[in-house]
Amino acid sequence: MIRYNGWGDESVTMETAKKGLEMLKDVVGPGQPGEDCPLAKMLAKVGPSRLPEHSLLSREPMDRYTHAHGQSLPDWIAMRGGTLENFPDAVAYPTSSQEVEDVMEFAQDNDCLVIPYGGGTSVVGHLNVPKSNRPVLSLSLERMTRLVDLDRYSSLANFEAGVRGVDLEAQLRALGYTLGHYPQSFEYSTLGGWVVTRSSGQQSMHFGRIDQLFLGGEMITPRGTMKLPALPASAAGPDLRQLVLGSEGRMGVLTNASVKVQPLPEMDQVYGMVFPTWNHGVDAVRELASASLPLSMMRLSNPKETKTNLALSGHETQTKLLNQYLSMRGIDPEKACMALVGVIGAKKVARAGKSKAWSIAKKHRGVIIGKTMGESWEKKRFLIPYLRNTLWEQGYVVDTLETAVTWDKVTNLLQSIDGAVTEAMAGFDEKIHVFTHLSHIYPTGSSIYTSYVFRLGENPAQTYERFLALKTAASKEIVKAGGTITHQHGVGVDHKAYLPAEKGPLGMEILQDVVKLCDPDQRMNTGKLLD
Ligand SMILES: Cc1cc2nc3c(=O)[nH]c(=O)nc-3n(C[C@H](O)[C@H](O)[C@H](O)COP(=O)(O)OP(=O)(O)OC[C@H]3O[C@@H](n4cnc5c(N)ncnc54)[C@H](O)[C@@H]3O)c2cc1C
């Protein structure tokens, strides 16, 4: 059973280590637990539906509540505080492309707004229900989860778009294949959601982002169906797949997608290494990214994140031993930067690549600490989001933000984001704990992934005010530095105001015209991505 006001399955919890909590208490002060709105009270807010009955629709309050939000911080504040105001009038559960067409026809006949719904893991307000005179219909893809075809000869799999990551991977693995797309929301997010938000999996260095994995599919728009043939490459003018990628439900509903798959790798391991300073770490991962090695991922934590991760791990004795060992190797644990490096591929190639990678790391004074850290990360990689529930209950808010820039700007931007959110919080006479890692590392630059923890406000409005101040301050820094407003989470509503700075006036007009052309009645997920 999924939590009605948090992340993940109700039966799963992730405890906060004592040391981690002490650290937070020291940095931001004792948590201020708030009061959660009970489910019954929330459901009582869901008013009568404005839509007629239909065999593919549910008008039940619980369905309408669960489809009224995603997982952004404003969503959490509204769920926990009971301030969610708008709910879809019904939720449609089509089981085939034909039924999606039937639902779209119903939407047209009843002049309703349609919000396609994948796994509900959006963190930028993609699923917010607008206050509207028109009825709102959430179109859930949760019953469209089949592997339609696996073409081993062409390394291509076609799935219905509502398949969740975990089920997609299970279906492929049973046949000896993998897509290798592992966003941290993997257990709940869907293939369709990935494509239309341009998501990035943790091992994208080897498997590629979803933009590189998506080869074709079918999108049902209010103007008709767009079929995108799965082609390995094409020079036939601008690539329409690039319009569907990142369309965020504004053009139509992606009903199925063909993706590039590959046989399961012989070797897939993650190792830990530690660098004496941030600059050593950056020099190492930058060089590694350009070395054409069989690496699946690299993740470089700054000193604050390194210390935070060790404190939250709860392994106090091992951490002490590690710090002693690092000191012996001339590394000051206060300045140490932990990196995780994944090695992947056919055994012979991966081992040779590993040896080359280690020699590059050592050249930059990296100390290889073996597989334990990597194995622990692998075990917990999809559990970490559960910490958000636990910390909230202790009175702390955890949120993240992300961008990508070219190498010349990475370190400066990382620091200015940290400074901007710290200053914004100081405006409320409150402290914030900010820590960062580089998560997707390219020869030309890197994504920057910043997490922050601060105390819940006295009421939902105060917590939201804090969020908005932080988000605005960080987004302005990103725009000022010429970074992308989002490397992986998409635009939704939280990043919408910053999109024109990246696309320019003509670019925005082109996007607006495409959306208008596919959706002349402004039905599809209006208010998200762009106005
Ligand atoms: C704990 C956590 C960890 C995360 N980690 C990552 C990460 O590592 N990498 C990353 O990239 N993102 C991450 N995200 C963000 C999120 O998981 C991604 O944006 C994901 O791609 C959303 O997929 P979804 O199926 O949940 O889509 P939803 O949240 O349901 O929808 C997102 C948007 O896509 C549209 N949509 C969904 N399905 C369709 C469809 N079939 N046709 C048309 N439109 C559709 C919706 O209308 C909406 O606009 C994380 C989120 C959480 C909560």
Side-chain angles (χ1 to χ4, degrees), residues 273-345:
M273 44 181 89
V274 181
F275 293 92
T277 65
W278 175 251
N279 287 341
H280 284 93
V282 169
D283 287 345
V285 294
R286 203 171 62 80
E287 188 173 337
L288 284 166
S290 293
S292 304
L293 294 171
L295 302 181
S296 63
M297 60 175 274
M298 281 196 279
R299 190 185 166 111
L300 176 70
S301 298
N302 73 352
K304 275 203 271 181
E305 183 168 287
T306 302
K307 280 208 286 184
T308 305
N309 286 348
L310 290 173
L312 286 171
S313 75
H315 302 307
E316 288 185 38
T317 316
Q318 288 98 317
T319 301
K320 241 186 219 157
L321 289 172
L322 174 68
N323 285 342
Q324 279 168 7
Y325 175 65
L326 293 177
S327 299
M328 267 166 45
R329 300 285 308 262
I331 294 183
D332 174 359
E334 290 300 309
K335 294 186 187 151
C337 293
M338 177 90 71
L340 291 174
V341 177
V343 182
I344 199 162

Side-chain angles (χ1 to χ4, degrees), residues 231-239 241:
L231 295 169
S234 163
D239 192 338
R241 292 173 294 194

Side-chain angles (χ1 to χ4, degrees), residues 208-407:
R209 291 165 57 91
I210 202 68
D211 353 352
Q212 294 157 296
L213 296 168
F214 173 63
L215 288 198
E218 178 188 84
M219 179 165 264
I220 297 180
T221 81
R223 282 283 305 279
T225 299
M226 227 169 120
K227 287 195 193 289
L228 303 161
L231 295 169
S234 163
D239 192 338
L240 295 176
R241 292 173 294 194
Q242 292 296 328
L243 281 180
V244 166
L245 283 156
S247 56
E248 302 195 355
R250 291 300 311 262
M251 288 167 63
V253 183
L254 188 72
T255 52
N256 75 64
S258 292
V259 283
K260 191 172 91 181
V261 293
Q262 53 182 275
L264 284 162
E266 272 177 19
M267 183 169 155
D268 182 5
Q269 287 167 349
V270 180
Y271 295 80
M273 44 181 89
V274 181
F275 293 92
T277 65
W278 175 251
N279 287 341
H280 284 93
V282 169
D283 287 345
V285 294
R286 203 171 62 80
E287 188 173 337
L288 284 166
S290 293
S292 304
L293 294 171
L295 302 181
S296 63
M297 60 175 274
M298 281 196 279
R299 190 185 166 111
L300 176 70
S301 298
N302 73 352
K304 275 203 271 181
E305 183 168 287
T306 302
K307 280 208 286 184
T308 305
N309 286 348
L310 290 173
L312 286 171
S313 75
H315 302 307
E316 288 185 38
T317 316
Q318 288 98 317
T319 301
K320 241 186 219 157
L321 289 172
L322 174 68
N323 285 342
Q324 279 168 7
Y325 175 65
L326 293 177
S327 299
M328 267 166 45
R329 300 285 308 262
I331 294 183
D332 174 359
E334 290 300 309
K335 294 186 187 151
C337 293
M338 177 90 71
L340 291 174
V341 177
V343 182
I344 199 162
K347 272 187 192 150
K348 249 189 174 167
V349 178
R351 283 191 188 129
K354 184 176 123 191
S355 142
K356 173 79 181 138
W358 278 201
S359 70
I360 293 175
K362 284 176 187 163
K363 192 173 91 186
H364 297 283
R365 294 192 52 210
V367 172
I368 318 292
I369 54 171
K371 274 196 284 189
T372 316
M373 254 336 151
E375 282 167 355
S376 159
W377 172 82
E378 277 185 288
K379 224 191 286 166
K380 291 186 189 158
R381 64 201 274 198
F382 305 124
L383 278 176
I384 298 292
Y386 284 88
L387 259 185
R388 204 177 181 194
N389 301 323
T390 329
L391 284 169
W392 190 281
E393 279 140 30
Q394 321 255 13
Y396 295 106
V397 178
V398 192
D399 199 22
T400 61
L401 55 90
E402 39 86 41
T403 176
V405 265
T406 46
W407 279 118

Side-chain angles (χ1 to χ4, degrees), residues 156-173:
L156 206 59
N158 181 270
F159 279 95
E160 290 179 330
V163 65
R164 287 178 174 176
V166 71
D167 299 324
L168 173 147
E169 206 46 45
Q171 292 185 68
L172 284 178
R173 277 173 184 250

Side-chain angles (χ1 to χ4, degrees), residues 7 71 115-123 126-127 141 161 182-185 188-190 192-194 196-202 219 248-249 252-255 385 388 488-489 525:
W7 175 253
Q71 291 285 329
I115 306 179
Y117 186 100
T121 67
S122 158
V123 282
H126 283 121
L127 300 166
L141 277 294
Y182 307 109
Q184 204 177 33
S185 55
Y188 294 98
S189 52
T190 63
W194 296 342
V196 305
T197 61
R198 301 189 90 105
S199 73
S200 195
Q202 289 163 334
M219 179 165 264
E248 302 195 355
V253 183
L254 188 72
T255 52
R388 204 177 181 194
Q488 62 197 59
H489 288 161
N525 212 9

